[in-house]
Amino acid sequence: MELAAYTELIKLIPCEDQAFETKRKTWEPYKNCVAFKEFYKHTFSNKDTVIFSRRDLFSFAETDAYKAIFAIILWGYPKGYTLGFNMPILFPRLLNQVEFLLENLKSERFITDEDFKLLISNCDGIGLSTLSKLLYFFKIEINKKKCLIMDSRIVRILRKDNFTELNSLSKVNEHNSINYYTDYLRVCTQLSNEYGYKPDQLELFLFMFGNNLKQLL
């Protein structure tokens, strides 16, 4: 298939409106964890659920980086970090790195490929899916390309090689995705410049439709 056929659709995608709802009970077991308890208290208060949009997360990243990190996690993993059954192991490891993440996300907006690989190598229990979300909402650029979300769903779509313009990324998988991340940013940036939409509109198009299209032959 050709992505070019969907150009007008991609231009219309309301990227910043994409929102997810999460339940208080999902995060309640961690309500007394030092790094998390203030966010939990102020976010849920008397609410059983909360909903965050991309617009909310961009705003938090500009005004309250601590709140932004946890809101991004809740938005990205509304059913539990990263999968519900992994949460008791991985979420505490993330909580232990909040200060490290704050320092790195707030200090630089422009990094190199080498900086990115060093950053992710120093993240304990935080993979590309999580780190790319954080980089995206904090508006970090790698090699002058805006960071985008690259989670397991995007990886599967790229691997299926459904779109001609993305075939250079078809060898990506869960194990080597870090090595393809900057290529993914480069290709998405080139396509967005060529067709006149935003790179994150393309990312969300792939997330929403990448596995659910079949063109007439």
Side-chain angles (χ1 to χ4, degrees):
M1 290 186 287
E2 298 284 342
L3 271 173
Y6 301 101
T7 296
E8 296 307 313
L9 172 60
I10 298 173
K11 288 180 180 179
L12 294 174
I13 290 178
C15 210
E16 293 193 354
D17 293 340
Q18 186 195 26
F20 293 105
E21 181 181 79
T22 190
K23 297 179 179 180
R24 177 174 62 185
K25 67 179 182 180
T26 300
W27 308 94
E28 191 169 15
Y30 307 94
K31 65 181 180 181
N32 293 320
C33 293
V34 174
F36 188 61
K37 63 181 181 180
E38 286 301 314
F39 172 84
Y40 178 90
K41 176 182 176 181
H42 288 102
T43 298
F44 288 100
S45 185
N46 296 320
K47 304 173 184 175
D48 290 327
T49 63
V50 294
I51 184 167
F52 293 119
S53 69
R54 291 196 185 205
R55 181 179 294 101
D56 294 328
L57 303 182
F58 281 124
S59 177
F60 297 156
E62 291 290 339
T63 59
D64 187 340
Y66 165 83
K67 181 177 182 179
I69 286 178
F70 287 122
I72 291 165
I73 297 302
L74 268 63
W75 175 89
Y77 305 101
K79 295 183 179 180
Y81 182 83
T82 56
L83 297 171
F85 60 84
N86 284 332
M87 192 168 176
I89 298 173
L90 294 181
F91 193 57
R93 289 165 68 180
L94 181 143
L95 295 179
N96 288 333
Q97 297 177 86
V98 172
E99 292 301 321
F100 169 78
L101 292 171
L102 283 170
E103 179 182 349
N104 282 274
L105 293 169
K106 290 171 62 179
S107 62
E108 294 289 346
R109 286 291 176 92
F110 306 97
I111 63 176
T112 66
D113 188 25
E114 290 73 21
D115 295 329
F116 162 71
K117 289 181 179 178
L118 180 61
L119 175 60
I120 199 166
S121 69
N122 286 315
C123 288
D124 177 34
I126 298 176
L128 180 60
S129 179
T130 299
L131 185 59
S132 66
K133 291 178 177 72
L134 294 167
L135 295 173
Y136 167 69
F137 285 110
F138 278 86
K139 298 183 178 180
I140 308 298
E141 294 186 12
I142 300 177
N143 299 335
K144 299 182 179 180
K145 305 293 188 297
K146 292 181 180 179
C147 287
L148 299 170
I149 296 170
M150 190 178 186
D151 60 12
S152 59
R153 183 164 173 170
I154 294 293
V155 168
R156 289 194 299 271
I157 290 165
L158 295 174
R159 188 166 176 77
K160 287 181 70 174
D161 198 19
N162 282 342
F163 300 102
T164 304
E165 295 94 332
L166 301 175
N167 58 21
S168 64
L169 304 171
S170 63
K171 296 187 183 300
V172 67
N173 58 49
E174 289 289 335
H175 303 292
N176 66 16
S177 57
I178 293 171
N179 296 327
Y180 278 88
Y181 184 61
T182 53
D183 289 333
Y184 167 68
L185 300 184
R186 175 182 52 79
V187 171
C188 288
T189 299
Q190 288 176 346
L191 290 171
S192 66
N193 289 337
E194 180 177 353
Y195 294 123
Y197 43 68
K198 296 178 181 178
D200 45 359
Q201 287 179 307
L202 174 57
E203 172 253 302
L204 186 49
F205 168 83
L206 294 174
F207 182 86
M208 295 173 64
F209 298 107
N211 277 327
N212 300 290
L213 294 171
K214 181 182 179 181
Q215 288 184 345
L216 181 65
L217 298 177

